[in-house]
Amino acid sequence: RATALWKGFNLPANNPSGTCKSQEDWAHDFSVLKGLPGGFSSARLYASSDCNTLAVAVPAAIASGTTLLVGVWTEDNAHYEAEKAALVQAVQQHGTGWVVAVSVGSEDLYRGDTDAATLARQINEVRALLCKFGACGVEVGHVDTWTAWVDPKNEDVIRASDWVGHDGYPYFEGSGIEQGYSAYEKNLQKTRDTVNRVKPGVWVWVTETGWPVSGGMLGSAVASVSNAEAYWKSVACEAFRNAHTFWYTLQDYLSSPSFGVVDKDFKPLFDLSSMLSAFTARPIVELKQRDKSKIESILAYGEAQSNSEPMVNEVVDDAAAHNDPATEDHRPSSSSKPNAVDLMREEERFSKHKVEQLAIVKEAELLVSLSNGVVSIHDLKTYQLQETLLKTKGATAFAVTSNIVKDASTDVPSIVSRLAVAVKRRVILWSWHDSELQSDTSELTLVTGVKTLTWATGTKLIAGLTSTYVLVNVETSAVTDIIGPGSIGGAPGQDGGRFGGVGVSTISYMGLGGVAPKPLATHLGQGEMLLAKDINTLFIDTEGQSLGRRQIPWAVAPEAIGYSYPYLLALQATRGTLEVRNPETLTLLQTISLPNASQLHIPQPYISLAHAGKGFLVLSDRCIWRMGALGYDSQINALVDRSRLDEAISLLNMLEDALLTDKEGRLREIKILKAQSLFDLRRYRESLDLFTEVSAPPQRVIQLFPPIIAGHTSSDPKASDGVKGAEGSTGEDKTDSVKRENSGMNEQAKLDEKTSVDFGSSRRSTDDSRTASDDAATSSLAASQPSDARPMLEGKDLKAATAELRPFLVSARTRLQRYLNPDGTLKDAQARSDTAASRVQEAQELLLAHVPASAEERRQQMVETARLVDTTLFRAYMFASPSLAGPLFRLDNFCDPDVVKEKLIETGRYNDLVDFLYGKGLHQQALELLERFGKQEQRDEKASQMAGPQRTVAYLQNLPAEKIDLILHFVSWPLDENPELGMEVFLADSERAETLPRQRVLDFLEKKDRALAVRYLKHIIQELDDRTASFHQRLAEDYIQGLKQQGGVSGRSAPPSWKEDTLKFLRSSHNYQPYKALQMLSADDPNLYEARAIVLSKMGQHRQALDIYVFKMKDPGKAEDYCNQVQLAEISTATAPKKGQRSTATDLEDKTTSIYHTLLSLYLSPPPPHKPQWGPALSILAKHGARMPASSTLDLIPEVLPIKELESYFRGRIRSANTIVNESRLISSLRSSLAFAEEAKLRLGDGIPSGNGGRNRHVLITEDRVCGVCYKRFGGSAIKVLPK
């Protein structure tokens, strides 16, 4: 099988007029094919016998080296037999070297002229017939539409064919040009899928496709030259590279719709070349051969253009002067057709001599001409001569400019036009203010003769002299020399000499007796200018300062230079070509052949910079060409298709946003393609920096790496078998190269011309990134380099690339975190201070390869992107710097758990694995791992940090309260091995430990060890101040039980402070139920006496409690302390005294029975068999007698007690009464003083300036005085002045 691809056109057997083609006609067609850009050496013929096709075409094909795809018509038996006979005759006569293949029938199934079985039989018949005559190697197939091929009933034809011809016309399906490529590709893929399923190994050829240049509209499909060109650019170039392709058609200008790519004179209707076609030349004026006149100068302005000949001045109207050429549907004119412009007026006696230059002063409606060395002024409408400027005799050039200038004194704007004329060494200036010619003229004399003049601004003029350039300020008459590079013989790029150094070209011309090239100058964009003399160039600003840019690499000196936004133009008259260059990169983008062209005319911009030089003209002495610009979108696509990515980026940066479809998005896409190219060139740092700069979708970057870094996302064709199920893998490819498609990139499988590839099984992306909403102009940007053409990353290259990948992934991760919460939900706009809600979707588009319509789908895709980024970053760390992987896990991340687990276990990084599992919330897996390594008797060196319960306890301490089931399950073994350490899970001073469900923890600990439960209860009650009654009751019971057992709980010895802690708790806690506690306290157990007394006190049974202290414990001190505590509690809870009264302890005792009275009664009147205790009783009377009621207290004192023993009691009572009286007197005195001060303040005032004046102050009430509160007038109201 041939390894090269056949590419050609469909050619009919008839001329457009209907006559049969002769051998000469066929030879001419084949010659035209070879002369088209790209050189087509094959053609497809529909029939063999019609018009003696093979008899006359084959000799012409052999003579021109053209090969033919031969058609055999099957319409009826007679015709079919004639076709076979003609084919056999041609093979017998000329052999088979000219045969590409044979097609039996064409679209028969689509038309329904036959059935699959009959057609399959005919294919086999033709194959057998050829083999019979020694042509067994000729392949035989059939051509039909894709709709026929996908029909299951036609599968017999596929099985009978050696190849399958696919016909596809998006135009006839009603698809707009925007969907042209995607419709073509989708239908072609359907054919390939069907053929591959039915008969794997059969090639699918593209035998017919195209777009009409004329013929109307079908649905959204519009027939036009521009659409045909767009379809050619997007489909043809790729089709010719990927499959045997025959375009429809070469010429059919009389058909409707017409698909021909050439007109009736076989001139291409649009650019078929693979070069950038920024401009197309369209002749608008062509002098006939019998016309002896010559075109010598031209002027274009407004809606019309003026052309000057020796004795004739023509004004022609260019209807397309201000239309976008990219949207027009026109064909280049020729000499046999009417001119593209109309002659509106002819002025025979405009000038007696050659007109060398023309210009207008629009505001003054004047036409300026240079003829015979004199400048003349004409009326713009009538062309009548108004004045010959005699001062300009000997003039060599002039320049006109018009600008809006504000008057310095009045600030009123006016239009100022200036005319500068070069007369030998002088520059003479005229000016018009609002169309009025100013009477004064000015002259400037320069050092040498002036050759050219160009206005830099409205007041500054560039003068090209014989040997240099100068910048002239016409207002101040200042002349500034412009310093530039020397001649071509000097140091390259040196700025040491004057700009007029004589170069090699100048010497050559002068040596031959010619003249030196004149100095040239032109405006560029953004205040820049270009000066050119000979082959030397200098870029300057409007102040004459060099911009420091390199020179343009011209081989010969240009005749003229100009600027058509955004391109630099240079007319090479000696070569008859127009060069189009990028003014930034100076790259030659296009060369247009214009025979004998000698002048370049650039109309001045009249709207904006975007119109600078638009529709410029080139002229020779016989023809004028108008240069139409191709749409900027198409120009950029062409540059991208040809891998001129830097040029495309430069062009996008120069163009205004309004001139492009989605400039920002396209610039970003092209930069991504450039970054991919840099990556393939192993310039990893530059590549990843550029990916980062444009926020490239992470998937598109990651898939450039092999599976060890990218995993299943990798597009590496050499991915190991271990990486299966990769996203985007077709899973059906039988070739050596694995074709992949990913949502981030549109991978296009391309044919390697050096390798035999099964085209039937060659798969293409069915999930094409081009959708119906994609612009046709951007369709070519979606295709990326095939994965099998990318060098495999390994060794040092892989390490270097991975090192540069990490910063990109960190940047992408940071961007994602601005919009994505750790739990995978989208952040609210209000939570982001650095962006607005309106930019959420924009930010998502910067990160995602495809942006779904719904918010939920966008969220899911962001999560998937985040998972890909984090997992890839993990792989990159593990590959290059494993120690950096750990910190990644301690941050919120979206790493794929399966990938991380596998890798960390493989490398024995168990500690990092635990950190990762914790971050992902996979706590059970982490705890099982910790338990396994923690219980091992023999420590594993790789997991030494995980030995023992310490790591498990630390992990459990960091779990939230909702994970209580896991905590209680996995804390068991640490409690068994080290209870003190294990209890830290519940007792740690942390918020997580404090928020654990305490009832569940307590129940768990009681089952585990009651002592641990008591410890936990003490912690939550005493340290966390938990007032839950059930917890207090349980702790009280535990304390009492410990006292009763005299050995603590659970058989363990109680600590020395156990009893003290118990009593303290019983005394301080108010949340347990005393009666339940009392039931547990035996009245006969001395160890429980005091606890019982405290509980009785809680129940208000003070006498019983004191009975225990006095008679059972026999401790008067504790009894007195008990009374003191009760007394203080009663005083603090006593009701507040009425106003004007003072509450005292004596008052209380006089009204109620005091606790001391109760204690005294127990001492003096004890129940039997106890005896009175005089000592403690007298002590109580001495210390607290004043707090007890006097009458009842004296009643308790027995008569036998000497009065002397009661001295301290009486003294205390008297002292208490005196204290009350003294306090009352003191309070009364203080109140009198306070009342006196208030009275003085009221009557006399406070004595402070502007303060309260008291009752002695005067207040003046007038009719206008108003209240300061309600703002009503006082009038005759009664007034009362308050102190404040």
Side-chain angles (χ1 to χ4, degrees):
R1 177 167 291 182
T3 58
L5 295 177
W6 308 111
K7 61 177 184 177
F9 280 78
N10 287 267
L11 297 180
N14 301 87
N15 291 312
S17 61
T19 61
C20 291
K21 288 181 179 178
S22 63
Q23 184 172 331
E24 291 73 21
D25 293 329
W26 284 109
H28 180 265
D29 285 355
F30 298 149
S31 176
V32 170
L33 289 180
K34 288 184 174 293
L36 293 177
F40 296 89
S41 58
S42 298
R44 178 191 171 213
L45 309 181
Y46 302 110
S48 298
S49 61
D50 296 348
C51 287
N52 293 321
T53 300
L54 295 185
V56 294
V58 173
I62 294 174
S64 62
T66 303
T67 54
L68 302 177
L69 172 56
V70 181
V72 174
W73 204 255
T74 62
E75 187 172 341
D76 56 71
N77 290 334
H79 195 180
Y80 174 54
E81 294 299 326
E83 290 285 283
K84 291 192 293 182
L87 176 60
V88 170
Q89 183 179 357
V91 169
Q92 288 180 323
Q93 186 174 355
H94 303 289
T96 59
W98 53 273
V99 180
V100 172
V102 174
S103 169
V104 178
S106 178
E107 299 186 355
D108 303 70
L109 300 174
Y110 168 75
R111 293 190 303 270
D113 293 342
T114 186
D115 55 66
T118 302
L119 186 56
R121 176 179 53 80
Q122 292 173 327
I123 292 172
N124 292 326
E125 287 178 357
V126 172
R127 183 185 296 109
L129 181 64
L130 289 170
C131 192
K132 179 179 178 181
F133 291 95
C136 294
V138 176
E139 295 184 336
V140 181
H142 173 67
V143 173
D144 222 308
T145 64
W146 70 270
T147 55
W149 290 123
V150 300
D151 191 344
K153 66 183 181 181
N154 296 326
E155 293 180 357
D156 287 344
V157 179
I158 298 176
R159 296 186 182 94
S161 300
D162 299 322
W163 57 273
V164 168
H166 167 89
D167 290 355
Y169 293 91
Y171 171 80
F172 288 122
E173 296 174 12
S175 300
I177 189 62
E178 297 83 0
Q179 294 84 36
Y181 176 86
S182 59
Y184 160 82
E185 183 68 14
K186 178 179 66 176
N187 298 334
L188 178 59
Q189 188 61 44
K190 290 180 180 178
T191 301
R192 285 178 172 150
D193 291 342
T194 302
V195 172
N196 186 64
R197 175 178 55 81
V198 176
K199 189 178 180 181
V202 172
W203 281 43
V204 176
W205 299 11
V206 179
T207 44
E208 286 185 32
T209 191
W211 195 279
V213 297
S214 63
M217 185 173 181
L218 287 177
S220 300
V222 178
S224 68
V225 172
S226 59
N227 285 349
E229 182 176 13
Y231 189 74
W232 173 275
K233 297 291 186 184
S234 62
V235 174
C237 295
E238 181 177 351
F240 291 140
R241 291 194 301 265
N242 293 340
H244 299 316
T245 304
F246 295 85
W247 200 261
Y248 186 86
T249 181
L250 180 64
Q251 183 191 60
D252 65 344
Y253 59 90
L254 293 179
S255 302
S256 182
S258 174
F259 285 78
V261 299
V262 299
D263 63 7
K264 68 176 184 178
D265 297 317
F266 292 91
K267 293 183 178 180
L269 294 171
F270 49 83
D271 183 20
L272 300 172
S273 68
S274 59
M275 297 175 60
L276 173 65
S277 299
F279 300 100
T280 55
R282 185 162 64 97
I284 59 174
V285 174
E286 294 179 277
L287 299 183
K288 299 179 181 179
Q289 293 183 355
R290 64 176 180 273
D291 195 336
K292 297 182 179 181
S293 300
K294 293 183 179 181
I295 302 172
E296 294 171 343
S297 63
I298 187 172
L299 171 66
Y301 63 92
E303 295 290 341
Q305 298 175 348
S306 296
N307 305 283
S308 175
E309 300 174 9
M311 298 298 294
V312 179
N313 186 62
E314 299 178 351
V315 180
V316 295
D317 180 27
D318 184 0
H322 302 296
N323 293 332
D324 185 358
T327 63
E328 297 175 27
D329 182 12
H330 60 264
R331 303 180 183 181
S333 61
S334 64
S335 59
S336 62
K337 296 181 63 177
N339 287 336
V341 295
D342 297 325
L343 177 63
M344 298 174 61
R345 185 193 308 174
E346 184 174 353
E347 188 71 27
E348 295 185 355
R349 300 185 180 279
F350 181 79
S351 174
K352 296 181 180 180
H353 303 280
K354 173 183 177 181
V355 178
E356 301 174 4
Q357 189 177 353
L358 292 171
I360 64 168
V361 182
K362 184 177 181 181
E363 290 68 31
E365 295 187 346
L366 299 176
L367 175 64
V368 185
S369 67
L370 173 61
S371 178
N372 196 30
V374 178
V375 174
S376 301
I377 305 296
H378 306 261
D379 183 271
L380 184 59
K381 294 181 178 180
T382 64
Y383 297 163
Q384 294 299 314
L385 178 65
Q386 291 187 352
E387 182 182 0
T388 299
L389 304 180
L390 299 179
K391 288 185 178 182
T392 64
K393 187 175 182 179
T396 54
F398 69 84
V400 176
T401 186
S402 295
N403 300 275
I404 297 177
V405 179
K406 287 187 177 182
D407 187 89
S409 58
T410 63
D411 203 31
V412 176
S414 61
I415 299 178
V416 177
S417 301
R418 289 187 171 92
L419 168 64
V421 182
V423 182
K424 298 181 180 179
R425 295 171 51 197
R426 296 178 298 154
V427 177
I428 308 175
L429 298 164
W430 284 265
S431 63
W432 288 262
H433 288 244
D434 290 331
S435 74
E436 294 294 331
L437 177 64
Q438 303 300 299
S439 57
D440 58 328
T441 61
S442 58
E443 294 186 14
L444 294 171
T445 302
L446 304 179
V447 292
T448 60
V450 181
K451 300 299 182 183
T452 58
L453 293 174
T454 305
W455 287 100
T457 65
T459 59
K460 294 180 180 179
L461 190 68
I462 299 289
L465 309 183
T466 302
S467 58
T468 187
Y469 282 89
V470 295
L471 178 67
V472 179
N473 189 319
V474 298
E475 291 184 332
T476 64
S477 300
V479 179
T480 304
D481 291 335
I482 297 177
I483 306 299
S487 66
I488 196 66
Q494 184 177 353
D495 289 347
R498 296 289 181 182
F499 187 75
V502 180
V504 173
S505 299
T506 302
I507 297 174
S508 300
Y509 296 149
M510 298 179 70
L512 294 173
V515 296
K518 63 181 179 179
L520 307 174
T522 185
H523 271 281
L524 301 176
Q526 305 298 327
E528 298 180 0
M529 297 190 70
L530 172 65
L531 309 181
K533 185 176 182 184
D534 195 358
I535 57 174
N536 295 322
T537 59
L538 176 67
F539 290 90
I540 63 171
D541 58 19
T542 54
E543 299 297 326
Q545 300 298 316
S546 173
L547 298 177
R549 295 166 60 182
R550 64 188 180 89
Q551 297 192 57
I552 300 175
W554 280 325
V556 297
E559 182 68 22
I561 60 175
Y563 179 73
S564 178
Y565 179 83
Y567 296 110
L568 172 63
L569 309 172
L571 181 62
Q572 303 283 0
T574 58
R575 297 182 173 182
T577 59
L578 178 69
E579 291 186 356
V580 180
R581 292 182 181 268
N582 183 325
E584 289 187 350
T585 64
L586 307 184
T587 303
L588 179 63
L589 299 177
Q590 184 181 11
T591 300
I592 305 173
S593 178
L594 301 171
N596 303 317
S598 58
Q599 295 185 47
L600 176 65
H601 178 72
I602 308 292
Q604 293 301 313
Y606 56 92
I607 297 178
S608 68
L609 176 65
H611 295 269
K614 195 169 186 179
F616 67 95
L617 306 174
V618 180
L619 61 148
S620 67
D621 56 358
R622 307 292 299 174
C623 181
I624 300 175
W625 293 275
R626 184 178 188 275
M627 308 305 293
L630 184 67
Y632 294 123
D633 288 325
S634 299
Q635 294 182 39
I636 292 170
N637 287 346
L639 290 171
V640 174
D641 289 340
R642 293 149 186 80
S643 299
R644 306 295 292 272
L645 302 180
D646 286 322
E647 296 299 328
I649 293 171
S650 175
L651 178 59
L652 278 168
N653 287 328
M654 289 188 291
L655 292 172
E656 295 180 359
D657 294 357
L659 301 177
L660 294 165
T661 302
D662 186 20
K663 174 182 175 179
E664 183 179 354
R666 303 186 69 192
L667 181 61
R668 174 175 177 261
E669 177 64 25
I670 295 173
K671 286 185 176 181
I672 290 175
L673 295 179
K674 179 183 177 182
Q676 292 174 353
S677 300
L678 292 172
F679 191 91
D680 293 337
L681 295 173
R682 292 181 170 84
R683 295 163 62 179
Y684 304 118
R685 173 166 296 182
E686 297 174 61
S687 172
L688 272 300
D689 285 348
L690 188 54
F691 277 131
T692 304
E693 175 189 334
V694 300
S695 300
Q699 188 171 14
R700 295 186 64 173
V701 180
I702 294 170
Q703 68 178 9
L704 300 175
F705 287 78
I708 191 174
I709 301 297
H712 297 321
T713 309
S714 173
S715 61
D716 193 336
K718 300 175 180 60
S720 64
D721 293 339
V723 185
K724 294 184 179 180
E727 181 182 359
S729 176
T730 63
E732 301 177 5
D733 199 335
K734 305 301 183 181
T735 63
D736 294 336
S737 297
V738 179
K739 275 70 175 181
R740 297 184 182 273
E741 62 183 55
N742 289 286
S743 59
M745 297 181 65
N746 175 32
E747 293 294 332
Q748 297 293 345
K750 296 185 177 180
L751 177 66
D752 186 349
E753 295 185 359
K754 297 181 180 180
T755 308
S756 177
V757 182
D758 183 352
F759 227 85
S761 61
S762 175
R763 315 302 276 169
R764 291 176 178 267
S765 172
T766 58
D767 185 20
D768 204 316
S769 64
R770 300 176 181 87
T771 63
S773 60
D774 291 339
D775 189 277
T778 62
S779 62
S780 65
L781 300 182
S784 62
Q785 183 180 4
S787 60
D788 54 359
R790 183 172 297 116
M792 185 178 65
L793 274 179
E794 55 187 358
K796 293 182 179 180
D797 286 335
L798 180 57
K799 289 186 177 180
T802 303
E804 302 301 332
L805 174 66
R806 291 189 326 222
F808 169 81
L809 295 175
V810 171
S811 175
R813 191 173 188 274
T814 303
R815 292 174 185 271
L816 282 163
Q817 288 175 344
R818 292 174 58 190
Y819 300 95
L820 205 59
N821 290 313
D823 60 356
T825 59
L826 293 177
K827 291 183 177 180
D828 295 334
Q830 292 79 2
R832 300 186 307 273
S833 59
D834 57 340
T835 186
S838 60
R839 301 192 61 189
V840 174
Q841 184 171 353
E842 175 187 352
Q844 291 171 339
E845 291 173 358
L846 294 177
L847 289 169
L848 304 178
H850 302 291
V851 182
S854 69
E856 176 59 23
E857 290 179 346
R858 287 197 300 270
R859 184 198 67 79
Q860 293 177 0
Q861 195 172 50
M862 287 196 78
V863 171
E864 290 298 323
T865 303
R867 180 177 294 110
L868 175 63
V869 169
D870 286 353
T871 304
T872 305
L873 182 59
F874 162 73
R875 289 194 180 102
Y877 281 144
M878 293 301 296
F879 176 76
S881 304
S883 60
L884 297 178
L888 175 64
F889 305 146
R890 299 180 183 95
L891 303 173
D892 293 325
N893 64 82
F894 291 89
C895 290
D896 187 333
D898 294 335
V899 173
V900 175
K901 285 173 57 180
E902 179 182 358
K903 197 69 176 178
L904 291 179
I905 292 175
E906 176 185 337
T907 57
R909 302 182 67 87
Y910 300 106
N911 200 51
D912 288 339
L913 178 57
V914 170
D915 290 339
F916 170 74
L917 293 174
Y918 176 82
K920 302 303 292 184
L922 302 175
H923 303 300
Q924 181 163 351
Q925 298 181 34
L927 289 168
E928 289 174 352
L929 187 67
L930 288 170
E931 183 177 4
R932 177 163 62 91
F933 285 103
K935 289 183 176 181
Q936 284 183 351
E937 296 181 0
Q938 295 182 353
R939 292 191 175 186
D940 190 333
E941 294 183 0
K942 295 182 179 180
S944 58
Q945 296 180 355
M946 302 167 63
Q950 291 84 356
R951 189 75 171 83
T952 299
V953 170
Y955 191 100
L956 293 173
Q957 286 178 320
N958 288 306
L959 290 181
E962 55 267 21
K963 300 296 181 181
I964 186 62
D965 292 330
L966 280 176
I967 295 174
L968 298 181
H969 177 75
F970 285 98
V971 78
S972 182
W973 76 270
L975 287 173
D976 293 338
E977 292 198 7
N978 190 337
E980 187 71 22
L981 179 63
M983 282 300 293
E984 287 299 312
V985 175
F986 310 114
L987 306 182
D989 185 13
S990 66
E991 182 179 357
R992 292 186 183 275
E994 294 176 6
T995 56
L996 291 175
R998 295 169 183 175
Q999 186 64 52
R1000 292 200 58 186
V1001 173
L1002 185 59
D1003 293 342
F1004 169 79
L1005 292 176
E1006 283 193 342
K1007 294 178 181 178
K1008 192 75 175 174
D1009 188 335
R1010 190 172 182 82
L1012 298 178
V1014 171
R1015 183 179 178 185
Y1016 180 71
L1017 281 171
K1018 292 170 63 177
H1019 171 73
I1020 62 176
I1021 292 175
Q1022 298 173 3
E1023 297 184 23
L1024 303 184
D1025 194 26
D1026 192 316
R1027 300 186 181 183
T1028 304
S1030 60
F1031 293 162
H1032 283 252
Q1033 186 66 36
R1034 292 175 74 168
L1035 182 57
E1037 293 174 358
D1038 287 334
Y1039 269 133
I1040 295 172
Q1041 190 67 28
L1043 285 178
K1044 292 170 65 176
Q1045 295 176 357
Q1046 298 182 352
V1049 295
S1050 301
R1052 298 180 184 178
S1053 59
S1057 61
W1058 183 267
K1059 184 175 182 179
E1060 181 181 349
D1061 293 343
T1062 303
L1063 299 178
K1064 182 179 179 181
F1065 172 76
L1066 293 175
R1067 186 179 293 114
S1068 62
S1069 175
H1070 303 282
N1071 301 99
Y1072 64 90
Q1073 297 179 352
Y1075 74 92
K1076 288 186 176 181
L1078 186 63
Q1079 293 176 357
M1080 298 180 64
L1081 296 170
S1082 173
D1084 300 325
D1085 189 347
N1087 197 39
L1088 303 179
Y1089 284 162
E1090 188 170 3
R1092 183 176 177 82
I1094 294 173
V1095 173
L1096 288 171
S1097 173
K1098 292 289 184 179
M1099 299 173 64
Q1101 303 296 327
H1102 301 299
R1103 188 174 185 85
Q1104 296 180 28
L1106 288 173
D1107 184 88
I1108 294 175
Y1109 285 119
V1110 173
F1111 301 113
K1112 292 186 177 182
M1113 295 180 64
K1114 303 183 184 304
D1115 191 340
K1118 288 187 177 182
E1120 183 178 354
D1121 290 340
Y1122 177 85
C1123 291
N1124 292 338
Q1125 294 175 8
V1126 173
Q1127 179 69 15
L1128 290 175
E1130 290 178 352
I1131 292 176
S1132 62
T1133 58
T1135 58
K1138 296 181 179 180
K1139 186 175 182 181
Q1141 294 182 350
R1142 178 173 176 267
S1143 176
T1144 65
T1146 303
D1147 295 335
L1148 291 175
E1149 271 88 23
D1150 288 341
K1151 297 176 183 179
T1152 61
T1153 302
S1154 171
I1155 186 66
Y1156 296 104
H1157 186 274
T1158 303
L1159 178 61
L1160 183 63
S1161 66
L1162 289 176
Y1163 283 141
L1164 298 178
S1165 302
H1170 303 290
K1171 297 180 179 181
Q1173 302 181 30
W1174 302 108
L1178 293 175
S1179 176
I1180 292 298
L1181 286 172
K1183 295 179 181 178
H1184 308 288
R1187 296 187 175 90
M1188 293 183 288
S1191 59
S1192 59
T1193 300
L1194 293 174
D1195 291 340
L1196 290 175
I1197 299 174
E1199 296 179 357
V1200 295
L1201 184 67
I1203 195 68
K1204 184 178 181 180
E1205 299 293 334
L1206 300 175
E1207 179 182 359
S1208 58
Y1209 166 73
F1210 290 118
R1211 287 183 180 276
R1213 294 288 302 184
I1214 294 170
R1215 188 182 301 110
S1216 177
N1218 290 337
T1219 301
I1220 294 172
V1221 171
N1222 293 334
E1223 287 181 357
S1224 299
R1225 291 174 181 174
L1226 181 61
I1227 291 172
S1228 177
S1229 298
L1230 291 174
R1231 286 179 177 174
S1232 298
S1233 299
L1234 181 62
F1236 179 81
E1238 289 295 325
E1239 181 71 14
K1241 185 176 180 181
L1242 178 64
R1243 294 180 178 276
L1244 303 178
D1246 53 16
I1248 300 174
S1250 301
N1252 182 13
R1255 291 180 177 177
N1256 293 332
R1257 62 179 173 148
H1258 300 278
V1259 179
L1260 180 63
I1261 302 299
T1262 64
E1263 293 182 355
D1264 297 330
R1265 188 74 180 265
V1266 297
C1267 175
V1269 177
C1270 64
Y1271 300 102
K1272 294 181 180 180
R1273 294 177 61 186
F1274 288 118
S1277 303
I1279 304 300
K1280 181 177 181 180
V1281 180
L1282 300 177
K1284 296 184 180 181

